[in-house]
């Protein structure tokens, strides 16, 4: 696909629902007693994989655009699926399912696409094994022999909401208490949703305690727009002259807003309006105007608060004056692709002064760049970040696989180009 270029970005839009919250609403709704009505659901490929997996385990789920109805089977009501559960490209589906399936009275097999089969699952299967789980393999396909679990105390070696959530979900079924200690706070949508559903869960700073929970009560979930999707417009609006974009109804849970802090530190003009609470999550409209960015250092405990936004923050760094250092971001190597290597290799193609480091990258920005034929590596966030990068490049750029954006943002290109009209 040729990446069309716009000369300014103006207007208001809403982005699709938050991917992390959409997954959790389906999973927890499936385990709840009662009916969960989800509005603003993200009908992206990853969340549809989650729905397929729970339907295969006997949960009645209706999808109508971004409205989803889940008729929960209760904590003990999942059925053995007739075949291998297929999680597509979704790390969240795969890892969170491990926590639930470990405690079921049946065996299951899960697998996903080529990218999922390369992503490490040992980070989930090892702590679950300490709880008594019986999971074969550290890469997909995983064979999970459901069994009785017991609570553990676990110090998280990496900041990962997926690992944390898998342990929490297993903890709901385990005998005794499960205590999880984080070093850095990762996204906490699971804790918030489980609290609202009456689970035995308490959060004290970086420590989470979960007790055996026989019953979750269904709650309706209004999913806010995904800040990880809004991120592309925050960077676009900042770097494009004569631009002003309002992104309405975006989730601004503090565990997710690192991108706003970093862009504003770089000199961006980003403000939150109409801040409110919706179903326990913070929501606001985000207004971004053109600005002159300067390089910065992105590292330390802000990383989990912006991990998925680092590819597009690297785009901001290209158009910022001076040097930007991204560090402490080794986790990027185990995403849909190695996002450090992919960003460095693709950005080099268009003349960006960028160096790969062991835990991130260094970008000397503010220099002219030219168009290039970009590879996405089948990674949705690469496809969308490269589209933003190409806007101010001199000459034509192409993407080998624009379609992969549908994993988290099915209408991305339509929304993007509307802002240029
Ligand atoms: O689901 P998946 O494929 O892992 O998606 C990604 C993404 O870019 O959309 C990561 F590749 O988001 C993860 C995120 O990086 C979603 C997530 C969650 O919903 O719990 C948590 C983060 O992963 P991790 O490994 O830090 O727990």
């Amino acid at each position: 696909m040729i990446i069309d270029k716009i000369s300014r970005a103006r207007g208001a839009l809403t982005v699709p629902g938050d991917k992390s919250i959409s997954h959790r609403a389906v999973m927890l709704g499936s385990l709840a007693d009662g009916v969960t009505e989800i509005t603003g659901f993200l009908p992206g490929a990853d969340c549809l994989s989650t729905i397929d997996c729970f339907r295969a385990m006997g949960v009645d789920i209706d999808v109508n655009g971004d409205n989803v109805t889940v008729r929960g089977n209760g904590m003990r009501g999942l059925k053995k699926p007739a075949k291998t559960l297929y999680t597509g490209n979704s790390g969240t589906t795969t890892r969170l399912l491990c926590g639930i399936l470990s405690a079921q009275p049946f065996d299951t097999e899960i697998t996903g696409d080529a990218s999922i089969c390369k992503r490490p699952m040992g980070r989930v299967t090892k702590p679950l094994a300490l709880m008594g789980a019986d999971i074969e393999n550290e890469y997909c396909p995983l064979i999970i022999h459901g069994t009785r679990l017991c609570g553990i105390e676990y110090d998280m070696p990496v900041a990962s909401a997926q690992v944390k959530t898998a342990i929490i979900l297993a903890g709901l079924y385990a005998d005794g208490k499960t205590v999880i200690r984080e070093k850095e706070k990762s996204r906490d949508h699971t804790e918030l949703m489980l609290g609202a559903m009456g689970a035995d869960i308490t959060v004290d700073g970086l420590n989470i305690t979960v007790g055996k929970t026989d019953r979750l009560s269904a709650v309706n979930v209004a999913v806010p727009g995904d800040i990880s999707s809004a991120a592309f417009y925050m960077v676009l609006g900042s770097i494009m002259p004569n631009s002003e974009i309002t992104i309405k109804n975006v989730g601004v849970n503090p565990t997710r807003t690192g991108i706003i802090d970093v862009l504003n530190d770089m000199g961006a003009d980003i403000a939150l309006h109409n801040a409110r609470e919706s179903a326990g999550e913070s929501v606001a409209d985000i207004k971004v105007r053109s600005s002159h960015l300067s390089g910065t250092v992105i590292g330390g405990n802000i990383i989990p608060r912006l991990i998925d936004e680092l590819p597009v923050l690297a785009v901001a760094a290209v158009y910022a004056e001076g040097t930007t250092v991204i560090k402490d971001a080794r986790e990027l190597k185990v995403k849909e692709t190695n996002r450090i290597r992919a960003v460095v290799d693709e950005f080099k193609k268009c003349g960006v002064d960028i160096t790969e480091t062991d835990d991130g990258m260094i970008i000397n920005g503010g220099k002219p760049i030219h168009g290039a034929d970009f590879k996405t590596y089948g990674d949705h966030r690469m496809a969308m970040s490269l589209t933003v990068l190409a806007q101010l490049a001199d000459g034509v750029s192409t993407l080998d696989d624009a379609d992969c954006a549908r994993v988290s943002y099915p209408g991305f290109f339509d929304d993007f180009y509307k802002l240029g009209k």
Side-chain angles (χ1 to χ4, degrees):
M1 182 189 97
I2 292 179
I3 304 178
D4 287 331
K5 291 199 277 190
I6 54 179
S7 55
R8 57 175 201 170
R10 296 186 77 84
L13 80 163
T14 53
V15 291
D18 187 279
K19 179 158 79 70
S20 297
I21 298 175
S22 295
H23 281 301
R24 287 156 172 82
V26 170
M27 292 187 182
L28 298 182
S30 295
L31 299 178
D33 285 359
V35 178
T36 298
E37 299 285 0
I38 309 170
T39 50
F41 179 80
L42 167 64
D46 272 12
C47 298
L48 296 176
S49 294
T50 292
I51 288 183
D52 287 346
C53 290
F54 281 87
R55 278 180 173 156
M57 291 188 284
V59 183
D60 182 4
I61 306 175
D62 292 335
V63 182
N64 186 1
D66 63 2
N67 293 318
V68 173
T69 305
V70 183
R71 293 178 190 85
N73 283 18
M75 287 295 287
R76 304 268 165 204
L78 296 180
K79 307 276 184 308
K80 181 176 169 58
K83 53 184 180 94
T84 301
L85 296 174
Y86 184 70
T87 59
N89 190 243
S90 178
T92 308
T93 313
T94 312
R95 295 198 175 114
L96 271 50
L97 269 177
C98 288
I100 296 171
L101 296 176
S102 295
Q104 299 306 314
F106 50 79
D107 296 350
T108 35
E109 182 167 335
I110 35 180
T111 197
D113 69 6
S115 158
I116 276 297
C117 291
K118 286 195 217 131
R119 294 180 68 182
M121 296 299 151
R123 54 180 46 207
V124 174
T125 61
K126 282 180 186 147
L128 291 176
L130 297 175
M131 300 177 80
D134 182 358
I135 305 180
E136 290 179 46
N137 304 330
E138 286 188 12
Y139 289 86
C140 282
L142 302 176
I143 298 158
I144 304 175
H145 304 285
T147 187
R148 191 167 185 146
L149 304 179
C150 56
I152 51 166
E153 296 205 5
Y154 192 68
D155 291 302
M156 294 280 297
V158 285
S160 165
Q162 293 176 356
V163 175
K164 172 177 72 174
T165 301
I167 303 170
I168 291 175
L169 295 174
L172 296 175
Y173 290 95
D175 295 329
K177 294 280 181 196
T178 298
V179 179
I180 303 162
R181 288 184 281 264
E182 295 193 275
K183 279 204 220 54
E184 292 149 345
K185 196 156 174 80
S186 61
R187 65 193 72 187
D188 63 357
H189 308 298
T190 308
E191 296 90 307
L192 292 176
M193 207 179 283
L194 278 175
M197 297 172 87
D200 180 2
I201 183 165
T202 50
V203 179
D204 179 12
L206 294 171
N207 300 338
I208 301 144
T209 305
V210 187
K212 192 167 188 164
T213 299
D214 293 327
R215 187 176 191 279
L216 294 176
S217 307
V219 290
N220 293 339
V221 182
V223 183
D226 197 329
I227 192 166
S228 299
S229 298
F232 303 106
Y233 304 113
M234 287 189 232
V235 173
L236 177 76
S238 298
I239 64 173
M240 277 238 133
N242 198 19
S243 295
E244 181 174 314
I245 308 172
T246 301
I247 316 146
K248 292 191 184 152
N249 195 42
V250 182
V252 288
N253 176 317
T255 62
R256 300 285 298 279
T257 48
I259 180 162
I260 299 177
D261 298 348
V262 165
L263 283 173
N264 279 339
D265 271 1
M266 293 173 83
D269 179 357
I270 298 178
L272 301 190
H273 298 277
N274 196 15
R276 57 206 183 270
E277 288 281 307
S278 171
E281 292 278 354
S282 308
V283 180
D285 302 335
I286 299 177
K287 186 178 253 186
V288 50
R289 293 196 187 93
S290 316
S291 53
H292 293 285
L293 302 181
S294 310
T296 189
V297 178
I298 310 173
N301 60 10
I302 199 166
I303 293 291
R305 296 179 53 226
L306 48 66
I307 187 74
D308 296 337
E309 290 68 73
L310 284 170
V312 79
L313 277 171
V315 175
V318 169
Y319 293 107
E321 279 304 320
T323 301
T324 295
V325 179
I326 299 175
K327 59 182 189 176
D328 305 319
R330 267 187 208 89
E331 278 296 297
L332 285 181
K333 295 182 182 178
V334 292
K335 299 298 181 185
E336 282 78 333
T337 187
N338 176 341
R339 286 182 177 159
I340 296 180
R341 178 70 46 80
V343 165
V344 170
D345 286 353
E346 297 313 299
F347 284 29
K348 271 188 182 159
K349 284 184 183 167
C350 57
V352 176
D353 179 352
I354 183 167
T355 309
E356 179 176 347
T357 62
D358 184 41
D359 62 351
M361 61 195 82
I362 300 169
I363 299 168
N364 292 309
K367 301 174 184 178
I369 65 164
H370 53 80
D373 293 326
F374 292 122
K375 266 175 71 175
T376 64
Y377 306 85
D379 183 336
H380 52 126
R381 303 217 186 274
M382 286 299 295
M384 295 184 273
S385 299
L386 291 166
T387 302
V388 181
L389 178 72
Q391 295 306 311
L392 294 175
D394 192 23
V396 177
S397 298
T398 62
L399 275 184
D400 67 338
D401 173 20
D403 186 51
C404 64
R406 71 190 170 83
V407 158
S408 63
Y409 194 160
F412 173 72
F413 294 100
D414 290 342
D415 287 353
F416 188 95
Y417 289 112
K418 266 187 216 147
L419 292 172
K421 287 199 176 126

